[in-house]
Amino acid sequence: MRTQVAIVGAGPAGLLLGALLHKSGIDAVIVEQRSADYVLARIRAGVLEETTVGLLEQAGCVQRLHAEGLPHDGTELAFDGRLHRVDFKALTGKRVTVYGQTEVTRDLMDARLAAGLETVYEAQEVTVHGFDGPTPEVRYRKDGAAHVLRCDFIAGCDGYHGVTRASVPASAITTFEKVYPFGWLGILADVPPARDELVYANHERGFALCSQRSRTRSRYYVQCALDDKVERWTDDAFWDELRRRLPDEVAQAVATGPSIEKSIAPLRSFVAEPMRFGRLFLAGDAAHIVPPTGAKGLNLAASDVGYLAQALCEFYRDRSEAAIDAYSTRCLSRVWKAERFSWWFTSLTHRFPDTGDFGRKMQHAELDYLVGSEAASRVLAENYVGLPMGH
Ligand code: FAD
Ligand code: PHB
């Protein structure tokens, strides 16, 4: 089998890249190790920047997003039992859209199916070869048979645990990592959200986040210990802990109900440099991870593949390698800004086991400064709503 671009991984990065390439007349095959249902069952991000919505628009996948996505003009910060609103729209002129990663993935999958584009699900033993030369290939097994997919380029969109980054010689790659001493326990439930907008809460007992997927479906998180287990948390225990960490007016508005999903995610910051190795490009979680506090993971995955699609388009259309050569630098400039913001917002809102009372006082002083200063609020808002693609 032969294609122009072999994409490894059918998460949001791989699917969006496939859609953007298709719009430019570039042929791509996606090879994914899981089933489509498995990919759709993973509950992850929920907040889309305008830039991400723009890329989905370019990919022709925004009909449902525009109908069902919830535009949010701001967010709320809770600390010391009080609520403070940060008005994104007034401070930056921009808003974000609340629309789940599952829905983005479903829309991209449906569009791919409707266009008759090839995705190989449940591919086993996926490996990548020859990307340091002119004839790269992706090999895999499916239903017991061995397959070889020859291509001009490989896009590594296979997430943090994928095979593409791991196939780069150690001498060619540098990684930077910080593992946080806690995780997030998340719950999804068919109950109306407590507030119209998201609430990020700093509390003595630990961080809590009120998020949502629709007017009838809520997503809540509480900071938990790294070695905590989902099985230890009944739904009632979760709702009690969540409410303890929220100001009274929010806690009283939390509607409870049975969970549809409950999971624990560890928090990590990670960057691999560079993001291009000959004819292999890394994109999304394959190249970098941010703690979810800044809601940047999915948005970075989208901007990476936005740059990559543009670079590949210029290669095929203009025979120019300039954008391909610039890919890694352009992405990494954006990635490090998001890493800084996500690390800072995590540091400001979570309980750290080793910073003690002084650390907590500093968090409160900084939160006070943040909500009291228009300039400081604007910096938070600018980072949260994200940068345009030119940056
Ligand atoms: P992924 O979504 O990880 O997709 C990679 C795909 O590659 C997967 O389908 C995988 O099955 C496939 N794959 C892996 N290995 C191989 C292989 N060897 N061969 C073929 N295919 C392979 N971000 C937020 O903004 N907010 C959140 O609340 C949030 N929660 C998260 C919770 C968890 C548990 C995780 C892991 C991430 C979370 N994120 C969150 C981050 C966000 O979901 C990711 O940044 C986003 O999914 C990145 O998309 P991606 O396509 O790069 O990677
Ligand atoms: C989510 O809805 O899952 C979500 C929203 C905002 C975040 C992280 C997760 O910062």
Side-chain angles (χ1 to χ4, degrees), residues 44-47 184 198 200 209 211 213 219 221 292-295 384:
R44 291 183 174 176
V47 177
W184 278 17
L198 272 59
Y200 289 85
L209 170 61
S211 184
R213 291 289 177 272
R219 178 77 167 154
Y221 298 94
T293 326
Y384 196 91

Side-chain angles (χ1 to χ4, degrees), residues 122 124 141-145 147:
E122 296 180 272
Q124 292 148 1
R141 296 186 72 82
K142 167 96 184 166
D143 301 328
H147 297 263

Side-chain angles (χ1 to χ4, degrees), residues 8-15 31-34 38-39 42-47 101 123 125-127 157-164 184 209 213 219 221 263-266 283-286 288-299 301:
V8 183
L15 287 166
V31 179
E32 161 65 51
Q33 69 175 3
R34 305 286 191 177
Y38 182 97
V39 172
R42 287 188 300 225
I43 309 297
R44 291 183 174 176
V47 177
Q101 178 167 328
E125 297 169 37
V126 179
T127 52
C157 300
D158 49 347
Y160 180 68
H161 298 288
V163 69
T164 55
W184 278 17
L209 170 61
R213 291 289 177 272
R219 178 77 167 154
Y221 298 94
S263 55
I264 291 181
D285 279 17
H288 40 73
I289 298 284
V290 284
T293 326
K296 291 283 162 228
L298 173 57
N299 291 299

Side-chain angles (χ1 to χ4, degrees), residues 186-267:
I187 200 172
L188 189 69
D190 275 329
V191 291
R195 304 282 293 177
D196 288 341
E197 295 175 341
L198 272 59
V199 181
Y200 289 85
N202 171 312
H203 190 272
E204 224 183 303
R205 297 180 65 88
F207 171 80
L209 170 61
C210 308
S211 184
Q212 49 189 266
R213 291 289 177 272
S214 69
R215 297 201 194 288
T216 56
R217 181 168 284 188
S218 300
R219 178 77 167 154
Y220 290 105
Y221 298 94
V222 293
Q223 175 184 349
C224 65
L226 259 187
D227 60 356
D228 213 337
K229 298 274 176 287
V230 175
E231 306 74 55
R232 283 195 210 145
W233 288 86
T234 61
D235 288 355
D236 285 345
F238 181 91
W239 294 119
D240 287 347
E241 185 58 34
L242 173 72
R243 284 181 294 202
R244 269 190 217 120
R245 298 183 186 190
L246 298 171
D248 287 345
E249 60 178 309
V250 184
Q252 280 159 20
V254 171
T256 63
S259 63
I260 312 171
E261 193 261 6
K262 208 188 282 160
S263 55
I264 291 181
L267 267 67

